[in-house]
């Protein structure tokens, strides 16, 4: 029997698209998810789902053995920036302590390859854009700090053992596949909120600040298609198989402002989005744009859906098919 890939947090947004791609490429996959944010319906019927926490050493040890796991993709995490500032303890527990326990269980079971779901949040306020991997890492929120802390654990452990790791620092994920889309509760991200306004489920959208030093005064972000993100995880597994470890940014290298995003959503959906200008949101850098040159040269990764309109189109189609999200 071929070995499996364990995907923690595989019922979440980016995790489920990665599971879909992995299963489609013929790999054996097993998902571990506590379903606190993820959706059972997001997992294909023929992929086993174990409900539980990555920090539950006994459970993880058993499933590594029973499913003959030889590599792990670790998505399971808390990921709301605002909440992380209010409940830092919960974030260090879920994102660092549970991760460290997962690594212990992997070591005990002889599983030596891990792909980690990291974030552009590790950089903090950028000194310059596009941001490369050698840019200073000085997170400005607890969420980013927990991602950086776990990357450090990976680095030190890899230096002291035969652990191989690839850490993928995502910029702003967007879009959907036919099966899997973005369904958060509460929803805090710009594109899904704009689409909810287009659906008529929210009355209006608030633009968080229009006095930034950007051409239209609103924040600029680098949106990357979730299908391209998922594909990077498969390439990362291949890299680990050939003995390569590393840290890679994943973005398009292009920035879109909040107003650009709203215009695009209006164009794709054919709806006018009522909006109001609001205060700046705490902790928002003016401009985050990635250089993904390293992922391109070392992992052979390339964005195949670089257009924001394609991502919005895919997310809108998923919502048209799933007007209530996975609940429908
Ligand atoms: N925004 C609004 N109105 C809203 C929601 C968002 O104006 O109702 C603005 C934000 O202020 C920001 C931009 O839209 O300027 C994008 O905000 P998101 O919440 O969609 O995404 P973030 O850039 O804050 O965060 C995302 C991930 C983080 C990750 C970060 C790295 O959610 O996990 O990208 O770039 F760390």
């Amino acid at each position: 029997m071929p070995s499996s890939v364990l995907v923690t947090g595989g019922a979440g947004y980016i995790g489920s698209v990665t599971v879909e791609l992995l299963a489609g490429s013929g790999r054996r996959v097993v998902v571990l998810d506590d379903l606190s944010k993820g959706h059972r319906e997001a997992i294909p019927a023929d992929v086993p789902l174990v409900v539980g926490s990555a920090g539950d050493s006994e459970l993880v040890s058993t499933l590594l053995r029973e499913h003959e796991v030889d590599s792990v993709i670790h998505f399971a995490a808390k990921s709301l920036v605002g909440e992380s500032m209010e409940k830092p303890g919960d974030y260090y527990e879920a994102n660092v302590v549970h991760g460290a326990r997962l690594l212990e269980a992997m070591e005990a079971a002889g599983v030596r390859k891990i792909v980690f779901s990291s974030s552009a949040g590790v950089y903090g306020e950028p000194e310059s854009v596009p941001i490369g991997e050698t840019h200073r890492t000085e997170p400005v929120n607890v969420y980013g700090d927990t991602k950086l802390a776990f990357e450090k654990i990976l680095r030190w452990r890899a230096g002291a053992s035969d652990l191989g790791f690839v850490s993928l620092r995502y910029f702003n994920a967007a879009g959907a596949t036919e099966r899997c889309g973005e369904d958060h509760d509460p929803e805090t991200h710009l594109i899904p909120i704009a689409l909810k306004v287009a659906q008529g489920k929210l009355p209006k959208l608030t633009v968080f600040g229009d006095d930034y030093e950007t051409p239209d005064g609103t924040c600029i972000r680098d949106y990357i298609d979730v299908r391209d993100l998922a594909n990077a995880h498969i390439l990362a597994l291949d890299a680990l198989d050939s003995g390569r470890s590393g840290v890679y940014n994943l973005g398009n290298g292009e920035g879109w402002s909040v107003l650009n995003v709203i215009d695009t959503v209006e164009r794709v959906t054919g709806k006018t989005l009522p909006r109001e200008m609001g205060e700046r949101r705490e902790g928002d850098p003016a401009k985050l744009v990635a250089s993904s040159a390293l992922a391109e040269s070392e992992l052979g990764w390339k964005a195949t859906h670089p257009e924001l309109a394609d991502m919005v189109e895919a997310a809108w189609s998923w919502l048209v098919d799933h007007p209530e999200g996975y609940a429908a």
Side-chain angles (χ1 to χ4, degrees):
M1 195 160 60
S3 50
S4 333
V5 181
L6 166 64
V7 183
T8 76
Y13 171 43
I14 305 170
S16 61
V17 176
T18 304
V19 168
E20 186 183 351
L21 233 72
L22 280 167
S25 72
R27 300 213 189 213
R28 278 181 68 207
V29 187
V30 52
V31 171
L32 173 66
D33 199 299
D34 67 5
L35 299 181
S36 58
K37 295 280 181 200
H39 305 274
R40 192 182 287 276
E41 303 77 7
I43 314 276
D46 55 351
V47 170
L49 165 67
V50 177
V51 179
S53 159
D56 182 341
S57 308
E58 211 169 303
L59 177 73
V60 173
S61 299
T62 308
L63 91 85
L64 291 177
R65 210 180 41 249
E66 285 183 352
H67 290 268
E68 298 177 316
V69 170
D70 88 330
S71 41
V72 174
I73 306 182
H74 181 41
F75 289 102
K78 287 186 172 287
S79 62
L80 298 177
V81 171
E83 184 186 61
S84 78
M85 301 302 280
E86 286 156 24
K87 299 177 182 165
D90 291 0
Y91 274 68
Y92 286 103
E93 172 77 15
N95 296 1
V96 185
V97 177
H98 288 185
R101 288 204 199 118
L102 170 69
L103 292 176
E104 290 295 333
M106 284 172 58
E107 177 150 14
V111 178
R112 310 310 295 137
K113 289 176 281 187
I114 182 166
V115 180
F116 175 54
S117 163
S118 189
S119 166
V122 300
Y123 295 112
E125 192 65 51
E127 286 171 317
S128 57
V129 288
I131 301 171
E133 290 80 357
T134 54
H135 186 282
R136 175 194 67 187
T137 47
E138 222 167 87
V140 291
N141 54 58
V142 171
Y143 168 68
D145 198 48
T146 61
K147 291 290 176 182
L148 185 60
F150 190 69
E151 279 193 1
K152 287 184 179 170
I153 295 177
L154 286 173
R155 254 188 241 270
W156 289 113
R157 286 190 77 120
S161 70
D162 60 349
L163 179 72
F165 77 92
V166 170
S167 185
L168 299 176
R169 294 175 173 170
Y170 319 147
F171 283 64
N172 291 54
T177 65
E178 256 176 58
R179 280 197 81 254
C180 302
E182 194 165 8
D183 182 3
H184 294 122
D185 183 20
E187 188 52 77
T188 62
H189 294 116
L190 177 61
I191 293 176
I193 285 179
L195 291 173
K196 276 185 198 288
V197 177
Q199 269 185 308
K201 291 195 181 298
L202 287 175
K204 64 175 183 306
L205 181 136
T206 305
V207 177
F208 297 145
D210 61 353
D211 56 352
Y212 286 93
E213 279 187 33
T214 59
D216 67 19
T218 66
C219 287
I220 292 178
R221 293 289 179 272
D222 184 341
Y223 293 89
I224 168 167
D225 194 293
V226 69
R227 294 164 288 187
D228 286 328
L229 265 187
N231 186 39
H233 294 74
I234 310 226
L235 296 171
L237 287 178
D238 294 343
L240 285 169
D241 285 341
S242 57
R244 185 187 284 284
S245 282
V247 175
Y248 301 98
N249 284 342
L250 291 173
N252 274 314
E254 208 182 315
W256 289 277
S257 73
V258 174
L259 294 183
N260 293 154
V261 170
I262 295 173
D263 286 349
T264 306
V265 171
E266 289 193 328
R267 230 178 22 252
V268 167
T269 62
K271 315 270 181 195
T272 302
L273 305 192
R275 85 234 15 206
E276 64 179 11
M277 291 301 160
E279 295 295 302
R280 287 183 178 200
R281 189 173 68 176
E282 206 190 329
D284 268 347
K287 184 170 181 181
L288 285 176
V289 177
S291 163
S292 304
L294 202 61
E296 291 183 11
S297 65
E298 293 193 359
L299 299 180
W301 177 82
K302 186 107 192 95
T304 56
H305 302 281
E307 290 304 321
L308 182 63
D310 282 352
M311 302 175 213
V312 171
E313 179 85 57
W316 180 240
S317 299
W318 189 80
L319 265 191
V320 168
D321 287 347
H322 304 79
E324 305 299 329
Y326 285 105

